[in-house]
Amino acid sequence: MEKSFYYPVPWSEVSYLREALAALEIPFVLEQDDRLELAAGEIAFVFPDLPIRQYRHVFELLGNAGRRYPS
């Protein structure tokens, strides 16, 4: 999977978000990488480029635009 953007998310929300994204059949991976801007207690949901309909679901679920994945 080519990584395009990510969302930092508190660990407490991971279970709910994983289930919601799986139900919507949206591809993602979870990462904790030093290159990503993560606060203590956060993990990144990382996504590839998505079709606009899938991106809209992600945007609505997570509430804002994601951060660009570092190259």
Side-chain angles (χ1 to χ4, degrees):
M1 175 178 91
E2 187 153 337
K3 300 167 184 173
S4 178
F5 62 99
Y6 72 97
Y7 286 86
V9 174
W11 272 100
S12 61
E13 297 178 22
V14 169
S15 180
Y16 162 75
L17 292 171
R18 274 185 16 192
E19 289 176 20
L21 291 166
L24 293 166
E25 298 182 358
I26 297 175
F28 70 92
V29 294
L30 294 171
E31 289 189 8
Q32 280 188 308
D33 189 312
D34 292 337
R35 298 178 299 156
L36 305 179
E37 297 177 30
L38 300 173
E42 288 184 330
I43 191 165
F45 276 79
V46 181
F47 300 90
D49 283 334
L50 296 173
I52 192 68
R53 287 183 183 196
Q54 285 184 327
Y55 180 77
R56 183 179 57 84
H57 288 302
V58 171
F59 184 89
E60 289 175 356
L61 189 62
L62 293 163
N64 56 26
R67 298 178 184 171
R68 181 179 198 94
Y69 194 86
S71 37

